[in-house]
Amino acid sequence: MEMSNEQIHDIASAAWNGYQYLQKLTVRERADLMYAIAEEIEALDEELINAAHRETALPLARLQGEKGRTVHQWRSYADALRTGVYADVRIDTGDGAAKSDIRKYNKGLGPVAVFGASNFPFAFSTAGGDTASAIAAGCSVVYKEHPAHPETSRIMEHAIKRGVAKFGAPDTVFDCVKGSSNSVGETLVLNPLIKAVAFTGSFRGGKALFDLGASRSEPVPVFAEMGSVNPILALPDYLNQHGETLAAQYVASLTLGVGQFCTNPGLFIAVKGSALTLLKEGLKKAISEIGESSMLHAGICKAFQENKTILSKQPDVELLGKGVNTQEDKAGAAIYLTSGAAFLANQHLREEVFGPVGLVVECSDTDEVYAVLASVPGQLTITFAATVVDIQQNSSLLTLAQEKCGRLLFGGMPTGVEVVYAMQHGGPFPATTDSRFTSVGPDAVKRFLRPVSFQNWPNQLLPQELQDDNPLKIARIVNTVYTPE
Amino acid sequence: MEMSNEQIHDIASAAWNGYQYLQKLTVRERADLMYAIAEEIEALDEELINAAHRETALPLARLQGEKGRTVHQWRSYADALRTGVYADVRIDTGDGAAKSDIRKYNKGLGPVAVFGASNFPFAFSTAGGDTASAIAAGCSVVYKEHPAHPETSRIMEHAIKRGVAKFGAPDTVFDCVKGSSNSVGETLVLNPLIKAVAFTGSFRGGKALFDLGASRSEPVPVFAEMGSVNPILALPDYLNQHGETLAAQYVASLTLGVGQFCTNPGLFIAVKGSALTLLKEGLKKAISEIGESSMLHAGICKAFQENKTILSKQPDVELLGKGVNTQEDKAGAAIYLTSGAAFLANQHLREEVFGPVGLVVECSDTDEVYAVLASVPGQLTITFAATVVDIQQNSSLLTLAQEKCGRLLFGGMPTGVEVVYAMQHGGPFPATTDSRFTSVGPDAVKRFLRPVSFQNWPNQLLPQELQDDNPLKIARIVNTVYTPE
């Protein structure tokens, strides 16, 4: 079903009313609303899991886990909201004369357009982190359904709406626009009542929305998380000590979920030598054991096959090893090999192949590792497969890596984005369109907030967040001093 | 002097080194650097004040005050920085198994291009709030000199550089590009090493920079504060009680600094009736006592005269009263009068006339006041000249006003932007290009920060902000609980 422009306009207008309703709720009340929605999502049964499994080919266990994660997002963002951390209250009481009484808190931006991701049908789609953080901010949500999983969306939509109704909020706080053509999303983003946009997906899709948001007569912020190649830097001392386990660990991360994660480590950078030679053998063996798998949808699989072919045909790129692949419509894992010099000379090698394909870049020395890292654009993550000695001997690599990404790992693999306060799921362009924000963890709420100051208002007319006796018991900065509830 | 593209490129490249230096400083060390700069600015003598007076025509007393404000900005932003509020640390220590140890803090975006404002030669120019907040964030600054006050800029530039040298920082942490053509600023903003832009000035200038920043192959955030008409809503009960004082207060604010403030109250909205008739008499009398004054520079005065003429010729606009004006090259204050209906029908009446000109909009009732307010775009401030009863009877106006501005005043006038934590100097487009940020108060630092997470790093390799024993004694959120130093 393609919605008409009028239908989209009507939904955006209704969302304005939903936003006005949410603005009148305190942070505590919004947290309660979020709990009501979380409860409805939690109560969903096999119908949801089976629909998502049918529509995305993701395994049942993964979907069960993702459902739990989604519920956790709603509850943990609500818990954070309750503390007042996103109201971010500052009160300066002045001196009753020249210095005014000024009080500031954060309010929502307005209705937010959320675009679902195909690779997280629960955690980054209808009821995902973008929707949860917008509602936390007091923004109503108009969700643009992802065409790859309409039935999953429908079940989630109804769960949200049941939660909204049980809390007693109007149904205008959340609604969906539907249609598979780009024009549905474009019409939504250009609607003057939409005040922010959140997107998770491809660079092409995210950048198009960013440009659209900036082109409006009233520009709006567009937070697009567009993935990256998430380099692994395997440094010499670590490689000598842990090369064998690293190979297995890398292949497991590369092929997890058929390589369909924004944090999939598509790039493996190391210095050549006997340790790397051994590791390459390990990679070859490990990847050969990976079976072929269905991807999220036919379009993604087709793009994967095409991009893999393009990569394989680049000069100075050879196949290091590959997994099973007998069927055209399934993805076969593969690892390619190139040199640092070839990588530096060919910008195609810096592009993400969405799926289970890695590229090992064999560098002549750590200076070339530096040059290779310097040549890649902004990333979500960079992982140091390194010992303390490696870092101490290559501190300039750590300095450079901080400029390039949102999350730095010491050991481990970047897949697995934990939903905690300290998570930064973001990074410099083109990983996202605004490196100042995250789309995972409670801090994701910040994207949709703006401060408003009240100067010299009588106490009884102030929002509760700003009143003298702190009725909501939230943390505030009062006369420059942090004041817990 | 017009700098060449090569000179600008060299300065941006050097700024990258300055930025790398600042990134290695702790929040405490950056605060010390800021104090060193503040001391040099404070030590400037009559040479600065006289140069600025010559170049801007601003009165000596005002300039002395603005100098003090500028020093206060550096010191109060540094004080805030020291508490750790902008490091915004979150630590989740995990469980040593499935849950990782993740720690997040804010780092600088990179070198920032700062554009000076003509109306604040100290507080929003070379050593102004944008420069101070960028340095606080650990960003080096390349300042684009305002061509209206080159000598003032030079004196300030040298003061900053002395402070930088005394602290022992390299001279690359702050430098200036010079030239009066737009291309100098454009070249700077398009330089790939510039990672953010701050601007205070006209809508045309700010919007052009915003578009330029978004057009880059790596888009960068551009925070432009572009002024507004700052409506005063004079509600019936207040008008009855305080009409007389309000007239004098309004004219004083409208003509303060020859009306050359971003928060100048260009729009006065009220319901017609006997109280408004009296107030109009008061306005007429008060404005007649205002002498003519030189504006900041000839270009601003010319634009003022032109825009005033355009306003005066709009249908259903009449002159209510005016001040002295005998000389073409000086600005004469004036107040015009129109009806709510005429205002709603003519979008020219919503445009800012930069200078001492106000427009009284006489509405038939408070519903029309609502419609008039709804028709204006985003504002820095909205002022309620209202009693508690007025607000209680017109709560929808307060709700609407919150959607329209960054700062809401209850009584008083919006001119006078206090440098405190609770200040929001910003607002929805077109008041600024991003309503989520402020350009006054320590929170201005937030514009130039982005979070980075460290996952599973050994304690000794972490930035001090994130280390276990909290060596900088800053406030942090540890395992979801706020932990003062």
Side-chain angles (χ1 to χ4, degrees):
Chain A
M1 181 183 93
E2 299 287 313
M3 277 192 176
S4 69
N5 287 357
E6 268 156 349
Q7 284 175 304
I8 296 166
H9 175 76
D10 288 348
I11 287 176
S13 300
W16 185 263
N17 295 333
Y19 161 67
Q20 293 284 8
Y21 167 83
L22 289 172
Q23 285 303 298
K24 292 200 198 303
L25 300 186
T26 65
V27 289
R28 279 195 192 180
E29 291 164 331
R30 292 207 301 274
D32 291 343
L33 167 61
M34 293 173 74
Y35 262 70
I37 293 169
E39 200 174 326
E40 294 302 317
I41 299 168
E42 196 168 43
L44 292 172
D45 57 13
E46 296 308 304
E47 185 198 359
L48 174 77
I49 304 296
N50 292 335
H53 179 62
R54 263 195 320 276
E55 291 183 325
T56 66
L58 291 171
L60 297 172
R62 144 75 197 269
L63 289 167
Q64 281 290 4
E66 190 182 327
K67 184 188 146 191
R69 176 203 175 95
T70 304
V71 171
H72 173 65
Q73 285 177 167
W74 283 89
R75 290 196 180 132
S76 63
Y77 298 7
D79 292 343
L81 186 65
R82 247 184 222 117
T83 68
V85 64
Y86 302 117
D88 210 16
V89 171
R90 282 93 159 85
I91 295 176
D92 291 289
T93 53
D95 59 5
K99 291 184 184 173
S100 304
D101 181 301
I102 309 182
R103 297 163 187 239
K104 180 166 72 169
Y105 82 138
N106 281 335
K107 66 183 291 301
L109 287 177
V112 175
V114 171
F115 286 75
S118 63
N119 61 343
F120 278 94
F122 305 154
F124 274 85
S125 289
T126 321
D130 289 339
T131 300
S133 46
I135 299 280
C139 298
S140 56
V141 169
V142 181
Y143 176 71
K144 163 63 178 66
E145 184 181 279
H146 196 290
H149 51 257
E151 179 62 13
T152 306
S153 290
R154 193 190 59 77
I155 297 171
M156 279 294 195
E157 174 189 343
H158 291 170
I160 295 173
K161 289 181 171 174
R162 279 195 302 274
V164 166
K166 282 192 184 167
F167 176 81
D171 58 8
T172 49
V173 306
F174 176 85
D175 210 348
C176 301
V177 296
K178 291 166 191 186
S180 52
S181 80
N182 285 345
S183 78
V184 170
E186 287 163 13
T187 303
L188 180 63
V189 170
L190 292 175
N191 189 292
L193 294 175
I194 295 295
K195 300 299 182 188
V197 179
F199 169 91
T200 304
S202 68
F203 174 77
R204 213 169 65 175
K207 182 61 163 52
L209 290 178
F210 174 81
D211 290 341
L212 211 57
S215 77
R216 291 175 31 147
S217 63
E218 179 196 352
V220 286
V222 175
F223 184 87
E225 189 271 88
M226 304 177 287
S228 59
V229 294
N230 304 292
I232 310 285
L233 306 179
L235 299 188
D237 190 41
Y238 188 90
L239 213 51
N240 282 329
Q241 290 184 42
H242 308 286
E244 211 162 335
T245 46
L246 182 58
Q249 210 185 358
Y250 176 69
V251 169
S253 177
L254 183 70
T255 59
L256 187 73
V258 204
Q260 300 168 121
F261 289 106
C262 327
T263 52
N264 190 52
L267 206 56
F268 187 104
I269 308 168
V271 176
K272 69 180 170 195
S274 57
L276 184 57
T277 303
L278 271 172
L279 181 119
K280 287 192 292 183
E281 287 308 311
L283 292 175
K284 198 169 165 174
K285 180 165 176 298
I287 199 86
S288 73
E289 291 161 5
I290 302 295
E292 63 191 341
S293 300
S294 295
M295 295 189 79
L296 291 158
H297 56 80
I300 281 190
C301 192
K302 185 162 172 287
F304 168 72
Q305 305 290 14
E306 286 168 6
N307 291 330
K308 190 168 111 171
T309 304
I310 291 168
L311 175 62
S312 71
K313 293 188 175 164
Q314 295 302 307
D316 301 314
V317 169
E318 60 179 88
L319 182 70
L320 177 64
K322 62 174 180 166
V324 177
N325 198 191
T326 58
Q327 291 169 261
E328 265 284 297
D329 62 347
K330 293 201 170 180
I335 299 179
Y336 293 88
L337 180 68
T338 194
S339 68
F343 187 88
L344 290 170
N346 184 352
Q347 69 172 11
H348 287 298
L349 301 184
R350 282 161 229 162
E351 283 161 20
E352 184 182 2
V353 177
F354 190 76
V357 158
L359 178 64
V360 174
V361 183
E362 201 167 29
C363 296
S364 52
D365 52 28
T366 50
D367 284 353
E368 198 169 68
V369 170
Y370 187 94
V372 164
L373 185 62
S375 78
V376 301
Q379 303 290 324
L380 293 169
T381 70
I382 294 175
T383 300
F384 283 84
T387 62
V388 171
V389 168
D390 280 322
I391 300 291
Q392 283 163 344
Q393 289 178 349
N394 297 281
S395 63
S396 63
L397 269 179
L398 179 56
T399 302
L400 176 63
Q402 287 199 55
E403 296 307 319
K404 290 282 180 183
C405 75
R407 178 162 56 111
L408 286 158
L409 291 95
F410 185 81
M413 285 291 144
T415 41
V417 181
E418 296 178 38
V419 181
V420 292
Y421 256 127
M423 176 50 60
Q424 171 62 7
H425 189 64
F429 188 89
T432 74
T433 49
D434 194 337
S435 67
R436 296 174 295 179
F437 298 99
T438 180
S439 65
V440 174
D443 281 353
V445 178
K446 290 183 179 180
R447 296 173 292 172
F448 308 120
L449 291 168
R450 70 175 177 88
V452 177
S453 291
F454 289 76
Q455 185 164 337
N456 289 333
W457 284 76
N459 193 58
Q460 79 264 36
L461 295 180
L462 286 168
Q464 286 189 55
E465 285 79 356
L466 300 179
Q467 289 178 5
D468 283 335
D469 58 349
N470 194 8
L472 301 175
K473 308 285 178 217
I474 56 177
R476 315 194 288 189
I477 291 182
V478 180
N479 294 323
T480 80
V481 177
Y482 181 89
T483 311
E485 43 84 17
Chain B
M1 181 184 90
E2 297 287 313
M3 278 193 176
S4 69
N5 286 357
E6 270 154 347
Q7 284 175 304
I8 295 166
H9 176 75
D10 287 349
I11 287 175
S13 299
W16 186 263
N17 296 331
Y19 161 66
Q20 293 284 7
Y21 167 83
L22 288 172
Q23 284 304 296
K24 292 197 197 306
L25 300 186
T26 66
V27 290
R28 278 195 192 180
E29 291 164 333
R30 292 207 302 273
D32 290 343
L33 167 62
M34 294 172 73
Y35 263 70
I37 293 169
E39 201 174 325
E40 294 301 318
I41 299 168
E42 196 168 45
L44 292 171
D45 58 13
E46 297 307 306
E47 186 199 359
L48 173 79
I49 304 295
N50 291 336
H53 179 61
R54 263 197 319 277
E55 292 184 324
T56 66
L58 291 171
L60 297 172
R62 143 76 196 267
L63 288 167
Q64 281 290 5
E66 190 182 328
K67 184 187 145 193
R69 175 201 175 97
T70 304
V71 171
H72 173 65
Q73 287 178 164
W74 284 88
R75 290 195 180 133
S76 63
Y77 297 7
D79 292 342
L81 186 66
R82 246 185 221 117
T83 68
V85 64
Y86 302 117
D88 209 16
V89 172
R90 281 94 159 84
I91 295 176
D92 290 289
T93 53
D95 58 5
K99 290 185 182 171
S100 305
D101 181 300
I102 310 182
R103 294 161 189 243
K104 179 166 74 170
Y105 82 139
N106 280 335
K107 67 183 291 301
L109 286 177
V112 176
V114 171
F115 287 76
S118 62
N119 61 344
F120 279 93
F122 306 153
F124 275 85
S125 289
T126 321
D130 289 339
T131 300
S133 46
I135 299 280
C139 298
S140 57
V141 168
V142 181
Y143 176 71
K144 164 61 178 67
E145 187 181 275
H146 197 288
H149 50 258
E151 180 63 12
T152 305
S153 289
R154 194 190 58 77
I155 297 171
M156 279 293 194
E157 175 188 345
H158 291 170
I160 295 174
K161 288 180 171 175
R162 279 195 302 276
V164 166
K166 283 193 183 167
F167 176 81
D171 59 7
T172 50
V173 305
F174 176 84
D175 210 349
C176 299
V177 297
K178 290 166 192 189
S180 52
S181 80
N182 284 347
S183 79
V184 170
E186 287 164 13
T187 302
L188 180 63
V189 170
L190 292 175
N191 188 293
L193 295 174
I194 294 296
K195 300 299 184 189
V197 178
F199 168 91
T200 303
S202 68
F203 174 78
R204 213 169 63 175
K207 183 59 164 52
L209 290 178
F210 173 81
D211 290 341
L212 211 58
S215 77
R216 291 175 32 146
S217 62
E218 179 195 353
V220 287
V222 176
F223 185 87
E225 190 272 88
M226 304 177 288
S228 59
V229 294
N230 304 293
I232 309 284
L233 305 179
L235 299 188
D237 190 41
Y238 188 91
L239 213 51
N240 281 330
Q241 291 183 41
H242 308 286
E244 210 161 337
T245 47
L246 182 59
Q249 209 184 359
Y250 177 70
V251 168
S253 176
L254 182 71
T255 59
L256 187 72
V258 203
Q260 300 169 118
F261 289 106
C262 327
T263 52
N264 189 54
L267 206 56
F268 188 104
I269 308 166
V271 176
K272 69 180 172 197
S274 57
L276 183 58
T277 303
L278 272 172
L279 181 119
K280 287 192 291 186
E281 287 308 311
L283 292 174
K284 198 169 166 172
K285 178 165 180 296
I287 199 87
S288 72
E289 290 160 6
I290 302 296
E292 62 192 341
S293 300
S294 295
M295 294 189 81
L296 290 159
H297 56 81
I300 281 188
C301 193
K302 185 162 170 287
F304 168 72
Q305 304 289 15
E306 284 168 6
N307 291 329
K308 191 168 111 170
T309 304
I310 291 170
L311 175 62
S312 71
K313 293 188 173 163
Q314 296 300 308
D316 301 316
V317 169
E318 61 179 87
L319 183 70
L320 178 65
K322 61 173 181 168
V324 178
N325 197 192
T326 58
Q327 294 169 260
E328 264 284 295
D329 62 347
K330 292 200 169 180
I335 298 178
Y336 293 88
L337 180 68
T338 193
S339 68
F343 187 87
L344 289 170
N346 184 353
Q347 66 172 13
H348 287 298
L349 300 184
R350 282 160 229 163
E351 283 161 19
E352 185 182 0
V353 177
F354 191 76
V357 157
L359 177 65
V360 174
V361 183
E362 200 166 30
C363 296
S364 53
D365 52 29
T366 51
D367 285 351
E368 197 169 68
V369 170
Y370 187 94
V372 165
L373 185 61
S375 77
V376 301
Q379 303 289 324
L380 293 168
T381 70
I382 293 174
T383 300
F384 283 84
T387 63
V388 171
V389 169
D390 280 321
I391 300 291
Q392 285 163 342
Q393 289 177 348
N394 296 282
S395 63
S396 64
L397 269 179
L398 179 55
T399 302
L400 176 64
Q402 287 199 54
E403 296 307 316
K404 290 282 179 183
C405 75
R407 180 162 55 111
L408 285 158
L409 293 94
F410 185 82
M413 285 289 146
T415 41
V417 181
E418 297 177 38
V419 181
V420 291
Y421 255 126
M423 177 51 61
Q424 172 62 7
H425 188 64
F429 188 90
T432 74
T433 49
D434 194 337
S435 66
R436 296 174 296 180
F437 297 98
T438 179
S439 65
V440 174
D443 281 352
V445 178
K446 291 183 179 181
R447 295 174 293 172
F448 308 120
L449 291 168
R450 71 175 176 90
V452 177
S453 291
F454 288 77
Q455 186 164 336
N456 289 333
W457 284 76
N459 194 57
Q460 79 264 36
L461 295 179
L462 286 169
Q464 287 189 56
E465 284 80 354
L466 300 179
Q467 291 177 4
D468 284 335
D469 58 349
N470 195 7
L472 301 175
K473 308 283 177 219
I474 57 178
R476 317 194 288 189
I477 291 182
V478 180
N479 293 323
T480 80
V481 177
Y482 180 89
T483 311
E485 43 82 19

